[in-house]
Amino acid sequence: MDKQNSKYRWVVFASVLFTYLIIVTQRTAPGLITEELMTEFKVTASTIGLLTSIQFMAYASLQIPIGILSDRFGPNLFLIVGTLLNGIGTLFYSVAPNEMVLLLARLLVGIGDATIWVNLVLILSQWFKVKEFVGLLGIAGMTGSFGFLMATVPFSNWIDIAGWREPFLIMGIVLCINALILYFVLVKKPKLTLIKEASVTKENKREKTLPMLRRIFSNRQAWATFLCHFGLVGTYIGFIGSWAVPFGMNVYGLSRSDASQLIMIGLFGAILGAPLTSWISNRLGSIKKPYIVVHVIVFFSWIVFLLFHGKPPYFMLFLLFFLIGYGNGASTLTFAIVRNSFNMKEVGVVSGFANTGGFISAILLPIFFGFILDQFQHTGSDIGYQYGFIIPIVFTILGLVGGFIIKEQRQEDKQQSLLS
């Protein structure tokens, strides 16, 4: 099967994107029930931070190993197993009797989630030409943002109607069924493709892992992608996945549904950010220039929270969350940099390394934020949020540094196109 000219590639694209859509909903949906978990299980804000972070910790720690294994053995199996683990973890979460089971469930979800984006990037790299790749990454990023959108008002209303356990139970079942569908789409159907991939696997086994990792870890471009993702993705996901809804409820006195609507504005920004920034990048013939602009905008958006002592005027929140969300959507440019800068045999591991940056940030932010809130809990005020916003400001400075050290790879782009 000629993957990059086959009509079947669009079936693959649709099935992988649907998987990503559903999985992303479960990445942040637990943030909607923070208050319920603290009440039902009698846990502190720090414990909620740990509950959120353990998922991202598993995700971040597995990005590079998954990238290495996917480069060697192909992305299909890892995507299928990851989807199944995500479904099983979500099922456990829905029936958890105590906080220990909640932690185990989120750990399983994190392990499953760790396989998704790296293998999505690899599958798109294999099935589509370079000239199609950047645009499709924008669509994939937009799809992820729709997943986040589903985890706001629609999921919140579902929780209000049915309680928090039933929605997670049903989503877990959907994910398990989807893993079976992926098996038929990626493995059962394209048998000729599997034969070709087996030959590629044999070639990749000859490459030594440690020299490759040393080369990547000393590569300026790899670190640029790591820092870019650290600044844009981790601050956004870490905040909306744990403290954004409580922030709206505690600081502005909003209901959970109203706070979710506020966060939804950020998701609209993310939906727009992926395809629009990819289009701008293609028009300019540059990834670096628009990416730096995005980092600057997000940095100053977080600064505004601090300038207003953690409570900007309500009308201003819409613009701030929209801009921060836009930055998260634009972060798909990170993987355009990876695809244009590295050999196809290294795309998986470098994508994993870059993605690690975003989710290390997503691990640290909820923990630090929860710790700061706990320190000011006795005051009975919202001053903890004011100091908490220092964290995303510092993180986005590192992202901005990453944007500046990106090296444009125009000549390499041509060479990679020939390799594809």
Side-chain angles (χ1 to χ4, degrees):
M1 180 186 294
D2 182 1
K3 288 183 176 181
Q4 296 187 353
N5 292 304
S6 169
K7 292 181 180 179
Y8 188 73
R9 74 190 193 275
W10 296 110
V11 175
V12 172
F13 181 64
S15 62
V16 169
L17 247 63
F18 179 76
T19 302
Y20 185 53
L21 173 73
I22 299 301
I23 285 175
V24 168
T25 65
Q26 297 312 297
R27 189 177 290 171
T28 57
L32 296 173
I33 57 171
T34 296
E35 298 292 335
E36 283 85 347
L37 294 181
M38 292 178 71
T39 301
E40 182 173 338
F41 296 99
K42 296 179 174 59
V43 295
T44 65
S46 295
T47 302
I48 293 295
L50 176 61
L51 186 62
T52 301
S53 296
I54 194 170
Q55 174 184 347
F56 295 141
M57 193 178 300
Y59 188 109
S61 63
L62 289 173
Q63 286 301 286
I64 294 174
I66 290 294
I68 294 171
L69 293 171
S70 298
D71 280 335
R72 288 181 179 273
F73 302 109
N76 296 337
L77 177 63
F78 294 100
L79 186 65
I80 294 166
V81 173
T83 303
L84 183 60
L85 286 176
N86 207 295
I88 292 172
T90 304
L91 289 174
F92 283 175
Y93 195 78
S94 69
V95 297
N98 54 56
E99 62 269 26
M100 292 305 298
V101 177
L102 287 175
L103 286 169
L104 174 62
R106 297 321 291 176
L107 178 62
L108 285 175
V109 169
I111 294 171
D113 200 1
T115 68
I116 304 306
W117 181 258
V118 170
N119 289 297
L120 183 150
V121 171
L122 275 174
I123 288 171
L124 294 188
S125 297
Q126 291 178 357
W127 285 85
F128 294 91
K129 299 173 183 178
V130 171
K131 64 181 180 181
E132 300 172 314
F133 183 75
V134 175
L136 293 179
L137 271 185
I139 295 174
M142 183 173 64
T143 301
S145 298
F146 274 117
F148 284 123
L149 185 62
M150 288 172 59
T152 56
V153 175
F155 212 79
S156 178
N157 290 337
W158 192 5
I159 291 170
D160 286 339
I161 295 170
W164 70 269
R165 292 185 182 271
E166 179 181 309
F168 286 96
L169 175 66
I170 293 176
M171 295 303 290
I173 294 172
V174 170
L175 282 165
C176 291
I177 294 173
N178 197 65
L180 182 62
I181 294 172
L182 283 177
Y183 171 74
F184 282 98
V185 172
L186 298 177
V187 177
K188 194 72 174 176
K189 180 72 175 175
K191 292 181 179 179
L192 294 177
T193 300
L194 291 178
I195 296 174
K196 292 182 180 181
E197 289 178 352
S199 64
V200 173
T201 298
K202 292 180 181 178
E203 291 180 8
N204 286 348
K205 284 183 178 179
R206 298 173 187 173
E207 185 179 4
K208 294 182 179 180
T209 301
L210 289 179
M212 178 187 65
L213 291 178
R214 281 197 295 267
R215 183 172 67 255
I216 290 170
F217 290 156
S218 61
N219 187 291
R220 159 180 160 175
Q221 197 81 330
W223 279 104
T225 62
F226 179 96
L227 291 174
C228 284
H229 239 49
F230 186 95
L232 288 184
V233 176
T235 50
Y236 176 77
I237 293 178
F239 185 67
I240 70 165
S242 56
W243 297 115
V245 170
F247 168 71
M249 295 172 68
N250 296 328
V251 176
Y252 292 90
L254 303 175
S255 66
R256 181 177 58 239
S257 179
D258 289 340
S260 299
Q261 290 177 22
L262 181 63
I263 306 309
M264 187 170 60
I265 299 299
L267 298 176
F268 285 133
I271 290 170
L272 180 64
L276 179 58
T277 312
S278 296
W279 179 81
I280 292 172
S281 177
N282 283 331
R283 292 283 294 179
L284 294 178
S286 169
I287 297 174
K288 181 173 182 174
K289 291 176 183 177
Y291 215 11
I292 288 177
V293 172
V294 169
H295 279 278
V296 170
I297 290 172
V298 172
F299 169 70
F300 280 106
S301 296
W302 287 114
I303 285 285
V304 170
F305 282 96
L306 190 62
L307 292 177
F308 283 93
H309 307 291
K311 190 177 181 180
Y314 183 70
F315 72 89
M316 190 179 292
L317 284 180
F318 291 91
L319 177 61
L320 293 174
F321 277 104
F322 180 86
L323 293 175
I324 292 168
Y326 185 97
N328 180 70
S331 68
T332 55
L333 289 183
T334 295
F335 302 97
I337 296 168
V338 173
R339 180 67 176 86
N340 290 342
S341 304
F342 294 90
N343 188 284
M344 270 295 297
K345 295 178 181 179
E346 300 172 345
V347 167
V349 65
V350 180
S351 296
F353 180 62
N355 223 14
T356 300
F359 285 87
I360 286 178
S361 177
I363 290 166
L364 297 177
L365 188 142
I367 293 175
F368 292 167
F369 218 104
F371 177 78
I372 291 174
L373 292 181
D374 282 343
Q375 301 310 302
F376 291 94
Q377 188 176 22
H378 66 279
T379 65
S381 68
D382 301 320
I383 192 172
Y385 284 100
Q386 175 185 345
Y387 290 100
F389 283 115
I390 295 174
I391 300 167
I393 291 171
V394 173
F395 285 9
T396 50
I397 290 174
L398 295 175
L400 188 57
V401 170
F404 278 113
I405 66 175
I406 291 171
K407 184 179 179 181
E408 295 281 13
Q409 299 284 324
R410 292 188 180 89
Q411 187 60 36
E412 282 86 347
D413 291 350
K414 296 178 182 178
Q415 294 174 355
Q416 292 297 325
S417 296
L418 293 175
L419 288 175
S420 299

